[in-house]
Amino acid sequence: KSFEGFKTRILSKITALTVIQYINKFIFDRNINNIKISII
């Protein structure tokens, strides 16, 4: 529960969201904010 772990968790969440938005926009040509219908 250190600050380093906190920073890592926040960074990984931001990275995952950005990757999902990129895939939605450029590969599937969907709305960029459709996080729920991502790759499942």
Side-chain angles (χ1 to χ4, degrees), residues 6-32:
F6 174 73
K7 200 167 64 174
T8 306
R9 288 195 298 274
I10 296 294
L11 197 64
S12 65
K13 285 182 183 180
I14 292 174
T15 308
L17 274 174
T18 310
V19 166
I20 288 174
Q21 286 180 342
Y22 175 81
I23 289 174
N24 272 345
K25 179 77 176 154
F26 293 109
I27 296 178
F28 294 125
D29 200 28
R30 288 195 292 230
N31 188 357
I32 199 170

